[in-house]
Amino acid sequence: MNKFFYFQLCLDNYVRECELSPFNELCLLSNVLRNNDIGTITLYTNRPFKFKTFTKLADYIEVKPVDSEILAKALDDLKEAKKKYKPAHLSDILRFAYLYEYGGVYLDTDILVLKSFQPLLGMPHDLILASESKQKINNGLIIANKPGVELFKNVLQNYEDDYRPDQWIYNSMIYLNAMVKWNSGANSIRVLEPEAGFHYPRHDQLAELFKSVDFGKSTFTENYSHHICGSIAPKGQTVRAYITDRILSPPLCDKRIYLDNLIDSLLIEYEAL
């Protein structure tokens, strides 16, 4: 059984419960609708957690605590790691550690899944990565078709020595690109074309994407996923605010209610598409 997984980490000691924004819950919902029939979906967190916008997601996504043993392997001293690494980079370390230990499909919580990953999971490669361009591999979507992929071990062993806290793009993209080139002979690696893994539409295309409740019937049929964080929103408005306004706020809030109440029915409908 294929394993899809996410992380939602709360590193503030004063926060007792983790949650996702409506925007991020929408992205997880898209994965349930496309991939629930081919694998399990898990959200790992280090605090108590509840889905608050699409509450029915709790029936399809298992919420589990982060594995303390894997955490200890990846980060010798969690307290010191919190001081040294920024939260986004702690998440980088954890996803590599989990992928090395278990394999599976890691997704950032802002990735919208546009169609089933079944063809990707059937590829004869140890590792499948998504790219933003021919020169940029992104770590927001990673598919390891088996545990123990050597690339992840090498990434973890060298991450601390090569860590640059003030250069997000280096730690999350440039470093991974270099490691992929270095390990290309040790593992069977496939890098997806940007159009397949990450598509960055303009805001008017985003409007088309969310025009109806059935946001799976979009114009981006060649894309497996869309990384929302790279989308271009209208001037003066964040992408998250734009999407939230489009699908989660009045007068369109009935879409959220409809999706939340009828997820079971929607799953049946999507299987028939």
Side-chain angles (χ1 to χ4, degrees):
M1 192 66 152
N2 301 301
K3 297 178 180 179
F4 297 80
F5 67 96
Y6 301 85
F7 287 110
Q8 179 64 10
L9 303 178
C10 299
L11 299 179
D12 188 337
N13 292 328
Y14 296 100
V15 176
R16 294 186 177 183
E17 186 175 272
C18 274
E19 62 181 70
L20 288 169
S21 69
F23 162 87
N24 292 109
E25 284 195 21
L26 177 67
C27 290
L28 270 64
L29 169 61
S30 72
N31 194 15
V32 170
L33 294 175
R34 275 53 164 212
N35 291 315
N36 181 69
D37 60 333
I38 63 171
T40 60
I41 304 176
T42 304
L43 175 69
Y44 291 102
T45 181
N46 61 334
R47 295 279 195 279
F49 178 91
K50 286 183 180 179
F51 292 105
K52 296 187 175 180
T53 302
F54 300 106
T55 56
K56 283 283 284 184
L57 282 174
D59 294 340
Y60 298 94
I61 298 177
E62 185 175 10
V63 178
K64 286 185 173 183
V66 173
D67 189 319
S68 58
E69 290 187 9
I70 291 182
L71 197 60
K73 286 180 184 178
L75 304 165
D76 294 330
D77 188 325
L78 183 57
K79 287 185 178 180
E80 288 303 313
K82 284 183 181 180
K83 296 176 185 177
K84 179 169 184 176
Y85 299 113
K86 294 186 177 180
H89 302 140
L90 281 174
S91 177
D92 289 345
I93 293 169
L94 273 177
R95 74 191 65 174
F96 295 134
Y98 264 75
L99 286 163
Y100 180 72
E101 192 77 19
Y102 301 118
V105 182
Y106 168 80
L107 302 96
D108 278 352
T109 57
D110 61 352
I111 287 183
L112 193 72
V113 178
L114 297 179
K115 64 179 181 180
S116 172
F117 281 17
Q118 184 67 65
L120 299 177
L121 299 170
M123 288 182 174
H125 300 86
D126 297 336
L127 182 61
I128 299 168
L129 298 164
S131 62
E132 296 181 8
S133 68
K134 291 182 178 180
Q135 290 77 37
K136 292 182 180 179
I137 295 171
N138 189 294
N139 68 9
L141 169 61
I142 305 175
I143 301 173
N145 281 324
K146 67 175 188 178
V149 173
E150 195 71 14
L151 170 71
F152 301 127
K153 182 179 179 181
N154 292 331
V155 166
L156 291 167
Q157 287 177 339
N158 293 279
Y159 196 94
E160 182 176 4
D161 291 339
D162 213 13
Y163 182 57
R164 303 181 188 182
D166 297 323
Q167 298 182 37
W168 175 87
I169 196 169
Y170 179 84
N171 298 293
S172 295
M173 294 177 65
I174 297 172
Y175 173 68
L176 182 60
N177 276 259
M179 294 301 289
V180 166
K181 291 180 180 179
W182 185 40
N183 286 267
S184 59
N187 300 118
S188 172
I189 300 173
R190 166 74 184 273
V191 178
L192 297 174
E193 298 76 13
E195 293 78 13
F198 290 126
H199 185 72
Y200 286 6
R202 303 181 306 274
H203 68 273
D204 56 332
Q205 292 175 310
L206 278 174
E208 177 68 21
L209 185 63
F210 292 107
K211 189 164 62 174
S212 67
V213 168
D214 185 0
F215 58 90
K217 293 178 181 176
S218 67
T219 55
F220 312 122
T221 54
E222 297 305 312
N223 289 56
Y224 286 98
S225 64
H226 166 63
H227 203 183
I228 297 291
C229 79
S231 305
I232 301 171
K235 188 176 180 180
Q237 190 174 28
T238 67
V239 174
R240 287 172 183 253
Y242 183 79
I243 291 172
T244 302
D245 287 348
R246 287 282 170 175
I247 196 168
L248 298 174
S249 302
L252 302 179
C253 61
D254 59 316
K255 293 182 181 180
R256 177 187 63 76
I257 297 168
Y258 176 80
L259 288 169
D260 195 27
N261 291 337
L262 296 179
I263 287 179
D264 296 316
S265 300
L266 280 169
L267 285 168
I268 295 172
E269 292 171 17
Y270 272 82
E271 288 171 3
L273 290 179

